[in-house]
Amino acid sequence: MMILPPPGPIAAATPSPGLLLGLGIALLLALALLDYVLRLKISAAPDDRTDERYWKAGMFYANPKDPALFVSKPSGLGYTVNFARPAGWAVLVALLLGPLAAIWLAAHR
């Protein structure tokens, strides 16, 4: 025999703030990836990306003439963000705020 809950109004499901934040971050990263793919098709890198003048402290890439948002590291192991573009800073902020917001939401639950 199955026990059913008493009949009553159906509660509307409201999305949690964490879910909305996660979706916002995912949307931002998807737009950054789309920007990267479109710019790859439009033009190639204007200069050699291994040129040391574009690498700050040996690990931060900043070339305002390069339209790419993500560039491969000179060592060939992984990718980094072009910090000379505003979208590069937006990606950094999204990656930092995501975990911090999740911690804050968990603490204030």
Side-chain angles (χ1 to χ4, degrees), residues 28-75:
L28 178 67
L29 292 176
L31 290 175
L33 182 63
L34 178 65
D35 175 61
Y36 170 69
V37 170
L38 292 177
R39 288 185 187 272
L40 270 182
K41 291 181 181 181
I42 292 172
S43 66
D47 293 324
D48 183 18
R49 289 186 176 144
T50 59
D51 191 346
E52 289 185 13
R53 65 184 163 158
Y54 299 124
W55 291 91
K56 311 304 179 202
M59 63 163 108
F60 300 106
Y61 181 74
N63 181 357
K65 295 179 185 175
D66 190 348
L69 179 59
F70 297 104
V71 295
S72 61
K73 293 183 179 180
S75 65

